[in-house]
Amino acid sequence: MRTFIAKLKLKLLLSVFAMCIALASLLYTSNLVRHLQERERTSVTIWAAAIEQVALAAEQNPYEADFREMAEELSPTDPMTPRRRAALAWAGRLPIGDHIDFIFDIISKYPPDVPAVIVDDAGNPIRWQHLGVPEGGELTLEDSLKIAERIAWMDRNFASIAIEVQEDSLTSGLIQKVHYGESLVIRDLRIYPYLQLAFVAMFIGFGYLGFSYARRSEQSNLWVGMAREAAHQLGTPISSLMGWTEVMRTSPSVDHDTLNEMDADIQRLGLVANRFNDIGSSPKLETQALAPVADAISDYIRRRFPRRGMTLTVNVPPDLEAPINADLFAWVIENLLKNAMDSIENEQGQIQIIAGTERNRIYVDVIDNGKGIDRRDWSSIFKPGFSTKTRGWGLGLSLAKRIVADYHGGQLILVNSVIDQGSRFRILLPDS
């Protein structure tokens, strides 16, 4: 039991550690996304400001067309014409100055890599990018609806940026807005930690399955080796005891009743040795009646009842047959009966063995009115090392489940258990 609890604590500790790693990864990615969102908003703000400055430049220099016309009227033969045309071009770019070219580069060559839409004061799209809609040209009704849906989504997640274009100080300006969303990089970053955790979980899962399989194989080989060694060690003293009982029978003063009991116990030891010897091999299954097997093991258990008021009833149809190995199957029932007997704490203990067929399968139920099993322990009772007994090893149910599943192709399940009312275990076997 202590080993089982230690394993549970270790699993809990590893689970908490994995959750801490996942939480740290999510927090780090969330913080990184927040910083990138701030940088993208800054880029969009600069882009919007550049557009605003170009618009202001166009509005604040009403003589640009005149300067261009004057440059065209200059005589091409005059050696001063190139210099004068350069001066007129410079004047046409006032009041912004030469860096208007840099602003045009910001707008045309280095726009922010985010989906964005610029709308006029009436909400009509003027310019857009990265929306899956052809940039420039006339908008179809479908494209207009798509842009409207994207603008609605952008406004739910990001505040729009206003661009004010004012012709002069006496008139009110035109307000345009820049609606923008997040880039693919940020969207990928949002998904990345979940993908990372999924791949890590898959890696851990496959690793766990691999190590579990290796551990189970190692435990199985160890169990088989110990069982075979136990059978081998029991063989010599059993043979010796059989010989001594035959010698004792020749004595005229021998107590035959005691000798018969000794013979029964020796036969029992031989049965136990055969059981251990069958572990790890492929025991031969024979289709036979279940009633004699259940009756024989029940008689053995009844003689060992710790209380006089305890009863054990067997209700197995005599014609009910199943492919079983009699020695191993009796061992399963014996383990279930012993657990039932140990769980009963009152003087009127009742144990039942009931068998029948259900959905083309044979079932054998062992029912008791003992102290029951807590609902939280139902999933653990068949695990090696788990036991509710103070001095239990926690191997009986695990061994019984292994015998039923591995050697008989069946199932051993806990059907129901209620505290202070009892438990019902069921063996399911394939129908012959």
Side-chain angles (χ1 to χ4, degrees):
M1 185 65 176
R2 291 181 179 178
T3 303
F4 183 80
I5 294 175
K7 289 171 60 178
L8 285 180
K9 289 182 178 179
L10 180 59
K11 290 180 179 179
L12 179 61
L13 181 62
L14 291 176
S15 300
V16 171
F17 182 67
M19 290 177 62
C20 290
I21 293 177
L23 182 61
S25 177
L26 291 175
L27 289 176
Y28 177 78
T29 305
S30 177
N31 186 56
L32 183 60
V33 167
R34 181 174 59 81
H35 285 300
L36 287 176
Q37 284 180 335
E38 292 175 357
R39 293 185 61 181
E40 286 189 350
R41 181 171 178 83
T42 301
S43 299
V44 174
T45 303
I46 294 173
W47 186 59
I51 296 173
E52 183 178 5
Q53 290 298 317
V54 170
L56 288 173
E59 295 295 335
Q60 290 178 2
N61 193 346
Y63 304 108
E64 182 181 358
D66 296 332
F67 286 134
R68 194 178 302 114
E69 185 179 349
M70 291 170 61
E72 293 296 330
E73 292 176 355
L74 291 173
S75 172
T77 59
D78 189 347
M80 295 299 294
T81 294
R83 182 175 178 83
R84 288 167 182 164
R85 284 180 177 176
L88 289 172
W90 179 82
R93 290 196 297 267
L94 290 175
I96 301 286
D98 288 338
H99 61 284
I100 187 68
D101 295 332
F102 173 69
I103 295 177
F104 272 117
D105 286 341
I106 293 176
I107 297 172
S108 60
K109 296 182 181 180
Y110 308 108
D113 190 21
V114 298
V117 185
I118 301 176
V119 299
D120 59 18
D121 55 350
N124 299 315
I126 301 174
R127 182 171 181 164
W128 56 90
Q129 64 176 21
H130 304 311
L131 297 181
V133 176
E135 299 178 14
E138 295 295 329
L139 286 173
T140 64
L141 178 60
E142 182 180 356
D143 290 340
S144 298
L145 292 175
K146 187 173 183 180
I147 290 178
E149 291 175 356
R150 294 297 301 273
I151 289 176
W153 180 87
M154 293 173 185
D155 289 344
R156 286 196 299 268
N157 295 277
F158 306 96
S160 59
I161 300 173
I163 302 175
E164 184 175 1
V165 180
Q166 189 171 7
E167 295 184 0
D168 53 53
S169 60
L170 300 178
T171 59
S172 59
L174 299 176
I175 302 297
Q176 299 177 350
K177 288 185 177 180
V178 178
H179 304 273
Y180 71 99
E182 61 184 15
S183 64
L184 290 174
V185 174
I186 291 182
R187 276 185 283 176
D188 291 342
L189 278 176
R190 290 184 187 278
I191 301 173
Y192 174 73
Y194 298 101
L195 292 176
Q196 181 186 33
L197 293 177
F199 284 122
V200 170
M202 290 175 59
F203 178 78
I204 293 175
F206 284 121
Y208 176 79
L209 291 176
F211 282 116
S212 296
Y213 176 77
R215 178 175 54 83
R216 285 195 299 269
S217 298
E218 183 179 355
Q219 289 178 348
S220 176
N221 293 333
L222 179 62
W223 174 257
V224 170
M226 292 180 62
R228 294 285 181 86
E229 181 63 20
H232 176 72
Q233 294 293 335
L234 286 171
T236 301
I238 290 174
S239 300
S240 178
L241 287 172
M242 294 175 65
W244 282 111
T245 54
E246 291 300 323
V247 172
M248 292 173 64
R249 289 184 190 278
T250 61
S251 174
S253 60
V254 67
D255 186 346
H256 289 281
D257 291 336
T258 302
L259 196 60
N260 290 335
E261 288 296 326
M262 290 178 63
D263 283 337
D265 287 334
I266 291 173
Q267 292 177 5
R268 180 68 185 175
L269 287 174
L271 177 62
V272 172
N274 289 334
R275 289 174 178 175
F276 277 115
N277 192 53
D278 287 338
I279 295 295
S281 61
S282 297
K284 183 179 180 181
L285 302 183
E286 295 181 358
T287 301
Q288 54 187 295
L290 297 179
V293 179
D295 289 335
I297 195 64
S298 297
D299 291 339
Y300 173 77
I301 292 296
R302 286 192 189 97
R303 294 196 298 270
R304 285 154 180 80
F305 276 165
R307 299 175 181 84
R308 292 184 178 181
M310 190 176 294
T311 60
L312 170 57
T313 58
V314 180
N315 184 10
V316 179
D319 59 343
L320 184 62
E321 296 183 343
I324 61 171
N325 177 278
D327 290 342
L328 293 180
F329 190 74
W331 199 359
V332 173
I333 297 179
E334 179 183 340
N335 279 328
L336 294 178
L337 291 177
K338 285 182 177 179
N339 280 344
M341 185 172 61
D342 292 339
S343 69
I344 295 174
E345 298 177 344
N346 55 65
E347 294 295 333
Q348 301 300 322
Q350 296 180 1
I351 304 175
Q352 303 178 63
I353 299 178
I354 302 176
T357 58
E358 181 182 76
R359 298 177 182 176
N360 297 324
R361 302 185 77 180
I362 298 171
Y363 69 87
V364 180
D365 289 356
V366 177
I367 310 167
D368 66 73
N369 63 343
K371 60 183 180 181
I373 301 171
D374 193 293
R375 185 66 179 82
R376 295 172 297 182
D377 296 332
W378 283 20
S379 60
S380 303
I381 57 175
F382 294 108
K383 296 179 180 179
F386 180 85
S387 176
T388 58
K389 305 173 188 177
T390 306
R391 302 176 62 182
W393 286 91
L395 296 177
L397 287 177
S398 175
L399 175 62
K401 186 177 182 69
R402 177 192 174 104
I403 292 174
V404 173
D406 294 351
Y407 301 134
H408 292 84
Q411 290 179 281
L412 174 59
I413 59 176
L414 174 61
V415 177
N416 189 36
S417 185
V418 180
I419 297 297
D420 296 329
Q421 294 186 26
S423 304
R424 185 187 194 110
F425 285 88
R426 171 165 291 184
I427 303 170
L428 290 171
L429 297 174
D431 196 346
S432 58

Coordinates of all heavy atoms in Angstrom, one line a residue, residues 360-411:
N360 N -24.4 -13.7 -24.7 CA -23.5 -14.6 -25.3 C -22.2 -14.7 -24.5 O -21.1 -15.1 -25.0 CB -23.2 -14.3 -26.7 CG -24.4 -14.4 -27.6 OD1 -25.2 -15.3 -27.4 ND2 -24.5 -13.5 -28.6
R361 N -22.2 -14.3 -23.2 CA -21.1 -14.4 -22.4 C -21.5 -15.1 -21.0 O -22.6 -15.0 -20.6 CB -20.4 -13.1 -22.1 CG -20.0 -12.4 -23.3 CD -19.2 -11.1 -23.0 NE -17.9 -11.4 -22.6 CZ -17.0 -10.4 -22.3 NH1 -17.4 -9.1 -22.3 NH2 -15.8 -10.7 -21.9
I362 N -20.5 -15.8 -20.4 CA -20.8 -16.4 -19.2 C -20.3 -15.5 -18.0 O -19.2 -15.0 -18.1 CB -20.1 -17.8 -19.1 CG1 -20.6 -18.7 -20.2 CG2 -20.2 -18.4 -17.7 CD1 -19.9 -20.0 -20.4
Y363 N -21.1 -15.3 -17.0 CA -20.7 -14.5 -15.9 C -20.7 -15.3 -14.6 O -21.5 -16.3 -14.4 CB -21.5 -13.3 -15.7 CG -23.0 -13.6 -15.3 CD1 -23.3 -13.6 -13.9 CD2 -24.0 -13.7 -16.2 CE1 -24.6 -13.9 -13.5 CE2 -25.3 -14.0 -15.8 CZ -25.6 -14.1 -14.5 OH -26.9 -14.3 -14.1
V364 N -19.8 -15.0 -13.7 CA -19.7 -15.6 -12.4 C -19.5 -14.5 -11.4 O -18.5 -13.8 -11.4 CB -18.5 -16.6 -12.2 CG1 -18.5 -17.2 -10.8 CG2 -18.6 -17.7 -13.3
D365 N -20.6 -14.3 -10.6 CA -20.5 -13.1 -9.6 C -20.2 -13.7 -8.2 O -20.7 -14.7 -7.8 CB -21.9 -12.4 -9.6 CG -22.2 -11.6 -10.9 OD1 -21.3 -11.6 -11.7 OD2 -23.3 -11.1 -11.0
V366 N -19.4 -12.9 -7.5 CA -19.1 -13.2 -6.1 C -19.6 -11.9 -5.3 O -19.1 -10.8 -5.5 CB -17.6 -13.4 -5.9 CG1 -17.3 -13.6 -4.4 CG2 -17.1 -14.6 -6.7
I367 N -20.6 -12.1 -4.5 CA -21.3 -11.1 -3.8 C -21.1 -11.2 -2.3 O -21.2 -12.3 -1.8 CB -22.8 -11.1 -4.2 CG1 -23.0 -11.1 -5.7 CG2 -23.5 -9.8 -3.6 CD1 -24.4 -11.5 -6.1
D368 N -20.9 -10.1 -1.6 CA -20.7 -10.2 -0.2 C -21.5 -9.0 0.4 O -21.8 -8.0 -0.3 CB -19.3 -10.2 0.3 CG -18.6 -8.9 -0.1 OD1 -18.8 -7.8 0.5 OD2 -17.7 -8.9 -1.1
N369 N -21.7 -9.0 1.8 CA -22.3 -7.9 2.5 C -21.3 -7.3 3.4 O -21.7 -6.9 4.6 CB -23.6 -8.4 3.2 CG -23.3 -9.4 4.3 OD1 -22.2 -10.0 4.3 ND2 -24.2 -9.6 5.2
G370 N -20.1 -7.2 3.0 CA -19.0 -6.6 3.8 C -19.0 -5.1 3.9 O -20.0 -4.5 3.6
K371 N -17.8 -4.6 4.2 CA -17.7 -3.1 4.4 C -17.7 -2.3 3.1 O -17.8 -1.1 3.2 CB -16.4 -2.9 5.2 CG -15.1 -3.3 4.6 CD -14.0 -3.1 5.5 CE -12.7 -3.5 4.8 NZ -11.5 -3.3 5.7
G372 N -17.6 -3.0 2.0 CA -17.6 -2.2 0.7 C -16.3 -1.5 0.4 O -15.3 -1.5 1.2
I373 N -16.2 -0.9 -0.8 CA -15.1 -0.2 -1.3 C -15.4 1.2 -1.6 O -16.4 1.4 -2.3 CB -14.5 -0.9 -2.5 CG1 -14.1 -2.4 -2.2 CG2 -13.3 -0.2 -3.1 CD1 -13.7 -3.2 -3.4
D374 N -14.6 2.1 -1.2 CA -14.9 3.5 -1.5 C -14.9 3.8 -3.0 O -14.0 3.2 -3.7 CB -13.8 4.4 -0.8 CG -14.2 5.9 -0.8 OD1 -14.3 6.5 -1.9 OD2 -14.5 6.4 0.3
R375 N -15.8 4.6 -3.5 CA -15.9 4.9 -4.9 C -14.6 5.4 -5.5 O -14.3 5.1 -6.7 CB -17.0 5.9 -5.2 CG -17.3 6.1 -6.7 CD -17.9 4.9 -7.3 NE -18.2 5.0 -8.7 CZ -17.3 5.0 -9.7 NH1 -16.0 4.7 -9.4 NH2 -17.7 5.1 -10.9
R376 N -13.9 6.1 -4.7 CA -12.6 6.7 -5.2 C -11.5 5.6 -5.5 O -10.6 5.8 -6.2 CB -12.1 7.7 -4.2 CG -12.9 8.9 -4.1 CD -12.5 9.8 -2.9 NE -12.5 9.1 -1.7 CZ -12.2 9.7 -0.5 NH1 -11.7 10.9 -0.4 NH2 -12.3 8.9 0.6
D377 N -11.7 4.4 -4.9 CA -10.7 3.4 -5.0 C -11.1 2.3 -6.0 O -10.3 1.4 -6.2 CB -10.5 2.7 -3.6 CG -9.9 3.6 -2.6 OD1 -9.2 4.5 -3.0 OD2 -10.2 3.4 -1.4
W378 N -12.2 2.5 -6.7 CA -12.6 1.5 -7.7 C -11.6 1.3 -8.8 O -11.4 0.1 -9.2 CB -14.0 1.9 -8.3 CG -15.1 1.7 -7.4 CD1 -15.1 1.5 -6.0 CD2 -16.5 1.6 -7.8 NE1 -16.4 1.3 -5.5 CE2 -17.3 1.3 -6.6 CE3 -17.2 1.6 -9.0 CZ2 -18.7 1.2 -6.6 CZ3 -18.6 1.5 -9.0 CH2 -19.3 1.3 -7.8
S379 N -11.0 2.4 -9.2 CA -10.1 2.2 -10.4 C -8.7 1.8 -9.9 O -7.9 1.5 -10.8 CB -9.9 3.6 -11.1 OG -9.4 4.6 -10.1
S380 N -8.5 1.6 -8.6 CA -7.2 1.2 -8.1 C -7.1 -0.2 -7.6 O -6.0 -0.7 -7.3 CB -6.7 2.2 -7.0 OG -6.7 3.6 -7.5
I381 N -8.2 -0.8 -7.3 CA -8.2 -2.1 -6.6 C -7.5 -3.2 -7.4 O -7.0 -4.1 -6.7 CB -9.6 -2.5 -6.2 CG1 -10.5 -2.6 -7.5 CG2 -10.3 -1.6 -5.3 CD1 -11.9 -3.2 -7.2
F382 N -7.4 -3.1 -8.7 CA -6.8 -4.2 -9.5 C -5.3 -3.9 -9.7 O -4.6 -4.7 -10.4 CB -7.5 -4.4 -10.8 CG -8.9 -4.9 -10.6 CD1 -10.0 -4.1 -10.9 CD2 -9.1 -6.2 -10.3 CE1 -11.3 -4.6 -10.7 CE2 -10.4 -6.7 -10.1 CZ -11.5 -5.9 -10.3
K383 N -4.8 -2.8 -9.2 CA -3.4 -2.4 -9.4 C -2.5 -3.1 -8.4 O -2.9 -3.2 -7.2 CB -3.2 -0.9 -9.4 CG -3.9 -0.1 -10.5 CD -3.7 1.4 -10.3 CE -4.5 2.1 -11.5 NZ -4.3 3.6 -11.3
P384 N -1.4 -3.6 -8.8 CA -0.5 -4.3 -7.9 C 0.0 -3.3 -6.8 O 0.3 -2.2 -7.0 CB 0.7 -4.7 -8.7 CG 0.2 -4.7 -10.1 CD -0.8 -3.7 -10.2
G385 N -0.1 -3.8 -5.6 CA 0.4 -3.0 -4.4 C -0.7 -2.2 -3.7 O -0.5 -1.7 -2.6
F386 N -1.9 -2.2 -4.3 CA -3.0 -1.5 -3.7 C -3.8 -2.5 -2.8 O -4.2 -3.5 -3.2 CB -4.0 -0.9 -4.7 CG -5.1 -0.1 -4.0 CD1 -5.0 1.2 -3.7 CD2 -6.3 -0.8 -3.8 CE1 -6.0 1.9 -3.0 CE2 -7.4 -0.1 -3.2 CZ -7.2 1.2 -2.8
S387 N -4.0 -2.1 -1.5 CA -4.8 -2.9 -0.6 C -5.4 -2.0 0.4 O -4.8 -1.1 0.9 CB -3.9 -4.0 0.0 OG -4.6 -4.7 1.0
T388 N -6.6 -2.4 0.8 CA -7.3 -1.7 1.9 C -7.0 -2.4 3.3 O -7.5 -1.9 4.3 CB -8.8 -1.6 1.7 OG1 -9.3 -2.9 1.5 CG2 -9.1 -0.8 0.4
K389 N -6.3 -3.5 3.2 CA -6.0 -4.3 4.4 C -4.8 -3.7 5.1 O -3.8 -3.3 4.4 CB -5.9 -5.8 4.1 CG -7.0 -6.4 3.4 CD -6.7 -7.8 3.0 CE -7.8 -8.4 2.1 NZ -7.4 -9.8 1.7
T390 N -4.7 -3.8 6.4 CA -3.5 -3.3 7.1 C -2.3 -4.1 6.7 O -1.2 -3.6 6.6 CB -3.8 -3.4 8.6 OG1 -5.0 -2.6 8.9 CG2 -2.6 -2.7 9.4
R391 N -2.5 -5.4 6.6 CA -1.3 -6.3 6.3 C -1.4 -6.9 4.9 O -0.7 -8.0 4.7 CB -1.3 -7.4 7.4 CG -1.2 -6.9 8.8 CD -1.3 -8.0 9.8 NE -0.2 -8.9 9.7 CZ 0.0 -10.0 10.5 NH1 -0.9 -10.3 11.4 NH2 1.0 -10.8 10.3
G392 N -2.1 -6.3 4.0 CA -2.3 -6.9 2.7 C -1.1 -6.5 1.8 O -0.5 -5.4 1.9
W393 N -0.8 -7.4 0.8 CA 0.2 -7.1 -0.2 C -0.4 -6.5 -1.4 O 0.4 -5.9 -2.2 CB 0.9 -8.4 -0.6 CG 1.8 -9.0 0.5 CD1 1.5 -9.8 1.5 CD2 3.2 -8.7 0.6 NE1 2.6 -10.1 2.2 CE2 3.7 -9.4 1.7 CE3 4.1 -7.8 -0.1 CZ2 5.0 -9.3 2.2 CZ3 5.4 -7.8 0.4 CH2 5.8 -8.5 1.5
G394 N -1.7 -6.5 -1.6 CA -2.3 -5.9 -2.8 C -2.0 -6.7 -4.1 O -1.9 -6.1 -5.1
L395 N -1.9 -8.0 -4.0 CA -1.6 -8.8 -5.2 C -2.7 -9.8 -5.6 O -2.8 -10.2 -6.7 CB -0.3 -9.7 -5.0 CG 1.0 -8.9 -4.7 CD1 2.1 -9.9 -4.4 CD2 1.3 -8.1 -6.0
G396 N -3.7 -10.0 -4.7 CA -4.7 -11.0 -5.0 C -5.6 -10.6 -6.2 O -5.8 -11.4 -7.1
L397 N -6.2 -9.4 -6.1 CA -7.1 -9.0 -7.2 C -6.3 -8.8 -8.5 O -6.8 -9.1 -9.6 CB -7.8 -7.7 -6.9 CG -9.0 -7.9 -5.8 CD1 -9.6 -6.6 -5.5 CD2 -10.0 -8.9 -6.3
S398 N -5.1 -8.3 -8.4 CA -4.2 -8.1 -9.6 C -3.9 -9.4 -10.2 O -4.0 -9.6 -11.5 CB -2.9 -7.4 -9.2 OG -2.0 -7.3 -10.3
L399 N -3.6 -10.4 -9.4 CA -3.3 -11.8 -10.0 C -4.6 -12.4 -10.6 O -4.5 -13.0 -11.7 CB -2.8 -12.7 -8.9 CG -2.5 -14.1 -9.2 CD1 -1.5 -14.3 -10.3 CD2 -2.1 -14.9 -8.0
A400 N -5.7 -12.2 -9.9 CA -7.0 -12.8 -10.4 C -7.3 -12.1 -11.7 O -7.8 -12.9 -12.7 CB -8.1 -12.6 -9.4
K401 N -7.2 -10.8 -11.9 CA -7.5 -10.2 -13.1 C -6.6 -10.6 -14.2 O -7.0 -10.8 -15.4 CB -7.4 -8.7 -12.9 CG -7.8 -7.8 -14.1 CD -7.7 -6.3 -13.8 CE -8.2 -5.5 -15.0 NZ -9.6 -5.6 -15.2
R402 N -5.3 -10.8 -13.9 CA -4.3 -11.3 -14.9 C -4.7 -12.7 -15.4 O -4.7 -13.0 -16.6 CB -2.9 -11.3 -14.3 CG -1.9 -11.9 -15.2 CD -0.6 -12.1 -14.5 NE 0.4 -12.8 -15.3 CZ 1.4 -12.2 -15.9 NH1 1.7 -10.9 -15.7 NH2 2.3 -12.9 -16.6
I403 N -5.1 -13.6 -14.5 CA -5.5 -15.0 -14.9 C -6.7 -15.0 -15.8 O -6.7 -15.7 -16.8 CB -5.7 -15.8 -13.6 CG1 -4.4 -16.0 -12.8 CG2 -6.3 -17.2 -14.0 CD1 -4.5 -16.7 -11.5
V404 N -7.7 -14.2 -15.4 CA -8.9 -14.1 -16.2 C -8.7 -13.5 -17.6 O -9.2 -14.0 -18.6 CB -10.0 -13.3 -15.4 CG1 -11.3 -13.1 -16.3 CG2 -10.4 -14.0 -14.2
A405 N -7.9 -12.4 -17.6 CA -7.7 -11.7 -18.9 C -6.7 -12.4 -19.8 O -7.0 -12.6 -21.0 CB -7.3 -10.3 -18.6
D406 N -5.5 -12.8 -19.2 CA -4.5 -13.3 -20.1 C -4.6 -14.7 -20.4 O -4.3 -15.2 -21.5 CB -3.1 -13.1 -19.4 CG -2.7 -11.6 -19.2 OD1 -3.4 -10.8 -19.8 OD2 -1.8 -11.3 -18.5
Y407 N -5.2 -15.5 -19.5 CA -5.2 -17.0 -19.7 C -6.6 -17.5 -20.1 O -6.7 -18.6 -20.7 CB -4.8 -17.7 -18.5 CG -3.4 -17.4 -18.1 CD1 -3.1 -17.1 -16.8 CD2 -2.4 -17.3 -19.0 CE1 -1.8 -16.8 -16.4 CE2 -1.1 -17.0 -18.7 CZ -0.8 -16.7 -17.3 OH 0.5 -16.4 -17.0
H408 N -7.7 -16.7 -19.9 CA -9.0 -17.1 -20.2 C -9.7 -16.2 -21.2 O -10.9 -16.5 -21.6 CB -9.9 -17.3 -18.9 CG -9.5 -18.4 -18.0 ND1 -8.4 -18.2 -17.1 CD2 -9.9 -19.7 -17.9 CE1 -8.3 -19.4 -16.5 NE2 -9.1 -20.3 -16.9
G409 N -9.1 -15.1 -21.6 CA -9.7 -14.2 -22.5 C -10.9 -13.5 -22.0 O -11.8 -13.2 -22.8
G410 N -11.0 -13.3 -20.7 CA -12.2 -12.7 -20.2 C -11.9 -11.4 -19.4 O -10.9 -10.7 -19.7
Q411 N -12.8 -11.0 -18.5 CA -12.7 -9.8 -17.8 C -13.1 -10.1 -16.3 O -13.9 -10.9 -16.0 CB -13.7 -8.7 -18.3 CG -13.3 -8.2 -19.7 CD -14.3 -7.1 -20.1 OE1 -15.4 -7.5 -20.6 NE2 -14.0 -5.9 -20.0

